[in-house]
Amino acid sequence: MVVRLPDPAEHGLVGDLVAYAGRVAPARVGPPAVLGHRQGELVVRCGALVVKAHSTRTDTHALERRLALATETALTEVLLRPVHSGHLRTRFVTVWPVARALRPDAQELPWEEAGRLLARLHTARVPQSRVPEAGGPRKLASAMRRLAVHPAGGGVRAAIVKAAYASLPAWCRGSAPQPRSMITHGDFHFGQLVETRHGWRLIDLDDLGVGDPVWDLARPAAWFAAGVLPEGGWERFLTTYREHGGPAVGEDEWVDLDGPARALTVQTAALAIVNGDLDVAEVFVGGCRRIVEQERRLQATVT
C-alpha cells in the first residue's frame, strides 16, 4: 500500500518511479510502498526493488562517481551495489535490491559487522583520484546553515549549539585540511546498515568519498558519550574495527575522536532543533552545553 503523501505532485512521482523500475527489471516489480520522503527525496519499494528519486539539488556527476565505487572489486562485499541509475525528467534515480534494514526499536545492533565493514572500507585499495570529497565537515556546515535560517536559530538552545561549533578545531569546521585521506562513508550511523542474503552492507552512498576515516566513527562516539549507545556495544564495535585493521584511531581512541565526536554532537543538536525533535535536542544540546563549559574551563586555565 502506498503511504499518503502531503504533496499530490509527489504522489504522481510514486507511479513514475514504479514504471521506471518496471523498465529496468520488470520481473522484480511489485505493489509500491513509500519508505521515505524528506528534503526533496522520495524512496519507494516496489516488489524486490527499491527506487530512490534524489533531490533536484543533487550533484549528479559526483553521485555517479560515488556509485561507481560500489562496483570496485575491493568494495563489492562492503557497499550495497545499485541495480541501475539514470534520469527521470529532472530527477536522478537509483534502483537498488531490497535488503533488510534495522528497525528503529532494534534491541541489538550489529556492532561487529559495523566495525568490520568500516575497517574494510577504510583500508580498501581503490583509486581516489576519481572520488569526490566525503561528508564530515561539509555535513556539519550544512547543518549549521540550516540552523542559521531556521526560526529557532535565534533561540537560547541554538546559541549554545553555535557556541559549541565555534569552539571546534579548525579542521573539524572545514577551515583547515583534513589530517588523512582515505575512502570513507561520510555519513555513517547504524541506519546505514542493511542485511542481504550475502551478508551486511553499507547503504546511502550520497556522502561517500575521500576524507579522514575518523568521521565514520564520530557519530557512534558522540552517541556513546551522550549515553545513547551502551558501553558494551561501543566496545564491541571499536574492538572489531581495530581487529580488522581499521586506521581511524590509535591506542587511546579519544585522542583522535574528541574533536569529530564533539562536531557530531553539534551537528545532531542543530538538526534536532531544525527538525523539531525535542527529545534528541534535549540530549545533544546538553552535550553542546558541556562542550562550551569545558572550553571555558580550558581557556581560564590557559589565561
Side-chain angles (χ1 to χ4, degrees), residues 13 76 104 139 182 188 206-207 230-231 243 277 300:
L13 182 56
T76 53
K139 298 282 289 184
M182 301 173 191
F188 176 77
D206 297 64
D207 293 288
E231 182 174 358
E243 288 176 348
D277 193 334

Side-chain angles (χ1 to χ4, degrees), residues 125-139:
R125 295 186 177 183
V126 297
Q128 294 188 11
S129 59
R130 303 196 307 266
V131 186
E133 181 183 347
R138 181 169 52 81
K139 298 282 289 184

Side-chain angles (χ1 to χ4, degrees), residues 173-195:
R173 289 183 279 111
S175 54
Q178 297 291 292
R180 293 168 291 187
S181 293
M182 301 173 191
I183 300 298
T184 66
H185 184 274
D187 189 29
F188 176 77
H189 53 81
F190 281 90
Q192 308 288 32
L193 288 165
V194 296
E195 189 174 22

Side-chain angles (χ1 to χ4, degrees), residues 203-232:
I203 62 169
D204 193 356
L205 310 185
D206 297 64
D207 293 288
L208 184 74
V210 175
D212 192 315
V214 75
W215 286 100
D216 284 345
L217 276 64
R219 193 191 308 253
W223 289 358
F224 169 64
V228 177
L229 292 184
E231 182 174 358

